[in-house]
């Protein structure tokens, strides 16, 4: 990971935050009587099983990202971040009584669209100050936020 810039770490932070949000939003869905849709986890996994799955996803994703060259890494990590955040959003916003009726009505189109947008962000990200990129902003209250910026004209 010696060739990683702050922007690479920012993308990875976004993906890992997305994994955490997906796990926590899944726990909320299960507490409200919903069911898990991932067949690897079963319909009603425990919080511990979800936490383990999140750690495994984070380790595998980070390892895969570390093994890729920058040209491949940024679009892939951007897509991963978008997909995970899309899953968390879907978990928190899809009606619990909605039945799955095939892929196009399963609620996966939102996370996949977020993955596509994240992949594009990663693809066009540069290490220069201009262009599409990520800025790390340390707020007045000690918080940390990741800001997306687009200054490049396409």
């Amino acid at each position: 990971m010696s060739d990683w810039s702050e922007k690479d770490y920012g993308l990875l932070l976004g993906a890992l935050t997305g994994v955490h949000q997906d796990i926590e939003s899944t726990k909320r869905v299960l507490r409200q009587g919903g069911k898990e849709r991932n067949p690897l986890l079963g319909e009603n996994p425990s919080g511990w099983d979800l936490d383990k799955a999140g750690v495994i996803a984070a380790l595998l994703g980070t390892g895969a990202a570390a093994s890729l060259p920058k040209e491949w890494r940024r679009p892939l990590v951007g897509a991963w971040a978008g997909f995970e955040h899309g899953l968390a959003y879907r978990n928190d916003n899809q009606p619990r009584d909605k039945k799955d009726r095939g892929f196009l009505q399963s609620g996966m189109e939102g996370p996949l669209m977020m993955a596509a947008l994240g992949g594009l962000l990663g693809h066009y990200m540069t290490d220069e100050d201009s262009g599409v990129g990520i800025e790390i902003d340390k707020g007045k209250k000690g918080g940390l936020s990741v800001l997306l910026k687009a200054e490049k004209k396409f």
Side-chain angles (χ1 to χ4, degrees), residues 7-62:
K7 293 179 182 183
D8 293 305
Y9 286 113
L11 268 180
L12 182 62
L13 176 65
L16 296 175
T17 302
V19 170
H20 176 71
Q21 288 179 334
D22 179 27
I23 295 300
E24 293 304 314
S25 64
T26 300
K27 289 177 184 178
R28 283 191 296 275
V29 167
L30 293 174
R31 280 194 301 269
Q32 297 170 3
K35 296 192 184 313
E36 171 61 56
R37 295 180 183 181
N38 184 338
L40 297 174
L41 295 172
E43 286 188 356
N44 196 18
S46 69
W48 175 242
D49 287 340
L50 289 170
D51 290 338
K52 287 188 295 187
V55 168
I56 291 169
L59 290 173
L60 290 175
T62 302

Side-chain angles (χ1 to χ4, degrees), residues 85-131:
H85 285 281
L87 288 174
Y89 179 82
R90 184 202 64 189
N91 286 345
D92 284 336
N93 293 287
Q94 187 171 14
R96 304 289 173 251
D97 58 353
K98 182 178 178 183
K99 287 186 172 181
D100 284 339
R101 294 170 288 200
F103 176 73
L104 291 178
Q105 295 179 3
S106 69
M108 290 304 291
E109 53 277 346
L112 290 173
M113 181 62 71
M114 294 292 290
L117 292 173
L120 285 171
L121 171 69
H123 175 72
Y124 286 108
M125 185 179 291
T126 66
D127 285 327
E128 301 165 10
D129 287 338
S130 63

Side-chain angles (χ1 to χ4, degrees), residues 136-150:
I136 307 297
D137 180 35
K138 296 177 183 169
K140 294 179 183 176
K141 297 180 181 178
L144 184 69
S145 62
V146 179
L147 305 172
L148 303 179
K149 69 174 191 174

